Amino acid sequence: MSDTLTIAEPAAPQREKLTKKAITADHPTWCPGCGDFAVLACYYKVLEKRQSEHEKIVTLAGIGCSSRFPYFVNGHGAHFIHGRAVPLASGISLARPDLHVFLFGGDGDGFSIGGNHLDHGARKNVNLTYVIMDNFVYGLTKKQTSPTSPIGFKSKTDPQGAIDQPVNAMKKLVASGATFVARTHASQVNHMIQMIERAMDHQGFSVIECLSECVEFFPGAFDPANPRKGGSFEVIQEKKYDNTPEDELRHDVTDELAAYKLAQLPFPGVFGVFYQNDRPTKNALEKKWIDSTREKLGQPSDLQLLQKTFDRMK
Amino acid sequence: MNPTPTLPETTPTTGAPERADLRPESIDDAVIRLAGNSQDGIQSAGAFLARLAGRSDQEVMTYMTIPATISGGPSIFQVRMGTGEVLSAGDEADFLVAFYQHSYQDHIDFLKEGGVLLYDSDNVEPNLDDRRFVYVGVPITGLTVEALGGTAKDKGKNIFVLGLISKIFQLDVEKLTMLIKEKFAGKDESIVNTAIMAFTAGYAYPVGNVLARRYQFETVAKKPGAPAQITMDGNQALAYGLIAAGVRYGAGYPITPWSSVMEILRRELPKYGGLFVQAEDELAAVSITLGFSYSGYLAVTGSAGPGISLKTEAIGWASMAEIPILIINVQRGGPSTGLPTNVEQSDLFQAIYGGHGDSPRVVLAASTVEDCFYIAIEAARIARKYSTPVFILSDSSLATRIEAFDEPDLANLMIEPHPDLTPRAAGFKPYALDRITQHAPPGTPMADGKYPLITGLEHDEMGHPTGSPKLHMGMTAKRRSKLQKLAAELPLPEIFGDQEGDVLLVGWGSTYGPIHDAAKRARSVGEKIGAIHLRHVHPLPEGLEKIFSKFKRIVVVEMNDQGIYGFGQLATILRARYCEPKIQSVTKTDGLTFRVKEILGHVFEGKTFPGRRGARNGSAGETVTVPIDPTTAAATEHAEAEVSAAADQSGDNTPTKLGSEAAEASAGTNETRPDSAQTEPSASREV
Ligand SMILES: Cc1ncc(C[n+]2csc(CCOP(=O)(O)OP(=O)(O)O)c2C)c(N)n1
Ligand code: SF4
Ligand SMILES: [Mg+2]
């Protein structure tokens, strides 16, 4: 990639329809039955439905089973290092407002090794969409305890059962300052598509925790929220502002305390949008600063600017 | 300071009563050390001198210690200015300004014999029995307070001293007052006035009554059309070099002595439509930077050793994924938190080898402040051409020192970056084995609808993972061959001094000045000695062995520990590469820059060398404190420029083995420098 003086030409005028076939790449290497297949399928669906410009879609990931995601998508993308995909994605989002930046990863990648980056990407409200495929275990490295593994979970690193308090994903995400926080389940395809679309439409750091079963190392983990397996999938009822008494009881997505209350519910908890607000993005704030600075300077050329600086150092 | 006698009495001086011995002496070079506390603004007084030298087309080099404490504390600023070629900041001072007793005590041994101690007689009581020096006591604090009125207290002492120095060295008052006005422009007018008042008071002080000597820098006629001089420090030069190189994005995390690069970029890049992000840590900083680079804008991150350690994994990704990125390491003493405010060149191995796997990267080292500017441009050129990580090594001495250099030809250097988003033809492969990778950034339409994947896993030509032995071999060779191609295009370094002979000094980084000064001085007494300086430390240019074969001894001079590896870091690399037993090391680990005499002492054990200049014992031991006499304080004493047409340079080259100096030059060279006491970071404050 050279940033030499080649100017981008406008994209070809007649644009082919974005089909599932066009965005499909390698056959996924996941275990048969892995929850991650459903997340990939929903991503294809959303891209197809939205007919985004193919070259503007960027799919990124860290390291993990779930983070193999970009190889299965035919589009610009990068497979980065363990835990650092949020800052990578932030750089891309900040430099290139024309792109749709999507990021996929696991619970270890996002909440453990990358936990600090998640907090800061969210706090800064960088414009991107991040799906954390939470399987409560380390899949790729074959069954170690993850930061979301429940107490008592028997893994190779906790043969007696996990003893450390797990991360409460929703609390962490709301507290970190993410401006769109949702929760969904890999077995609930329609709900997942809805959540991804709403995240995509949100300006800012939109993050979704998607419970995605690791059939290999933590089978049945999310059955309690899967109606087909005898569980119940309870969806958050959001306020409709219809002045009905029922509406009083519905969830106000802008109410941070209410979001924590929902996050406090015992497993498997509830699904849907926990929190959303429209705080300005870092992208917008930086752009405002850049624009006003350049405005004040009278839109000089790069050469004029540097020359002026050097003149002051004579 | 080379007090070359001037033509007798040909130059009329103007103004107030002049004593015959007050006539200015023509000098071509002076080392002035200001020692005080950083909160007294000695840095800014020093910076004024440096900038004045730059404006007067004089060579200038400074040396400054960064106070390790937040609220200031002992600090020095040393300016060497002259009309000759100034290569290093000076082993010893001709002129020491001591604001406090501790400044005097810590630095008096740094003053050369016959040198002048200018001290604040309100705070310092020097040992006048020590007859090696010329003592000039001026009640700096009292006079500053008097000149400025009570409210300013002694703030302004620095500018008062600047006035004094201007008088003694016959500096260009007009230019200096301009500089002071520019510096405070935009601030409250009273601030400018106060500064000018302090300056005038210092300048008007009848210093002639206490110092029987004034000096006049030889003036050099500026060649017509010669470029103007730019005065800046190494971190500024790096930052502005990056801007000239078309780098518009970056990310970092604060750490001494790197921080000012990121502070400048954070402030400046938005003016160019770009952005520098302060990240939550160095892992994020390098990752954000890789995001910028991947999206089509070559970007920069940087740090000092501790932060570079954190960036290591991601830099390996850049090697594997073949993403261009610039990584600046402004080195400080290590390992671990080490010596935050002292200098060391101990991160060379880290830059070249830091990281797992065979991960090729390019490593460049800046030798001077000016070179910081040009090396940033060179690094960006290489990173773009070879789509690879490029390290720029600087260090805390370069970061903080101010030098003047020829104004760069910005019109020819400036690059305005645009990501190359032109559609890529069918068959585009991001990792084609038969050519150097040039990525298609996101946003680039792909004619055949097949999109590139950028990855840290071993991959095939499209970027998809593979465990194929053949592909791993092929891709390893593809990545490494970039360094081989680069090595073949690099110029051999020029040999300074003798083109063949007994000793070749080899250096890298900020030791350029003292190494070249050492070669110069050794040659002046007939040694057959040359010097080369490596800017491209990895890969090395081809053909160094041809240079090595012309010398009997190769001595690699560097600021790191040869005890661990048997040789210094560069020496170890050169020995391994060339299997050349005549390569030896001169190293040191005191956290201070090399002194010329240290290098000479190591290279020529047992021999003695003349000092930089013949010492002048003129009025050593004299000390006179006179009451202020308004009649002698007329500000008209600014003597007319006295040009010594034929400067007598012989003093420079004559081996004058004056007892004390000879002893000094041959003395054990690892002694602790007097300034070490105060440059040690205070225990309580990490920076
Ligand atoms: C720096 C680093 N440490 C450790 C690893 C090994 N590693 C790879 S994936 C992983 C955990 C993956 O768990 P998660 O993020 O939950 O993803 P999953 O495989 O469960 O989808 C670990 C520890 C690595 N690749 N890099
Ligand atoms: S190990 Fe688990 S997470 Fe990984 S692919 Fe198999 S089922 Fe999915
Ligand atoms: Mg997991």
Side-chain angles (χ1 to χ4, degrees), chain A residues 1 3 26 71 312 314, chain B residues 51 55 293 384 439 464:
Chain A
M1 147 191 347
D3 49 10
D26 302 3
Y71 295 117
R312 278 198 303 271
K314 282 180 189 163
Chain B
R51 294 199 60 192
R55 277 202 187 176
S293 278
R384 290 190 180 105
H439 286 299
H464 284 253

Side-chain angles (χ1 to χ4, degrees), chain B residues 51-85:
Chain B
R51 294 199 60 192
L52 175 71
R55 277 202 187 176
S56 313
D57 298 301
Q58 277 157 350
E59 293 266 338
V60 63
M61 167 132 7
T62 66
Y63 170 78
M64 143 177 148
T65 59
I66 313 172
T69 47
I70 300 295
S71 57
S75 182
I76 65 149
F77 195 103
Q78 182 171 316
V79 191
R80 180 174 176 188
M81 51 205 293
T83 43
E85 188 187 15

Side-chain angles (χ1 to χ4, degrees), chain A residues 33-48:
Chain A
C34 174
D36 296 351
F37 280 99
V39 183
L40 182 64
C42 289
Y43 184 53
Y44 290 155
K45 274 254 159 54
V46 170
L47 294 180
E48 216 185 331

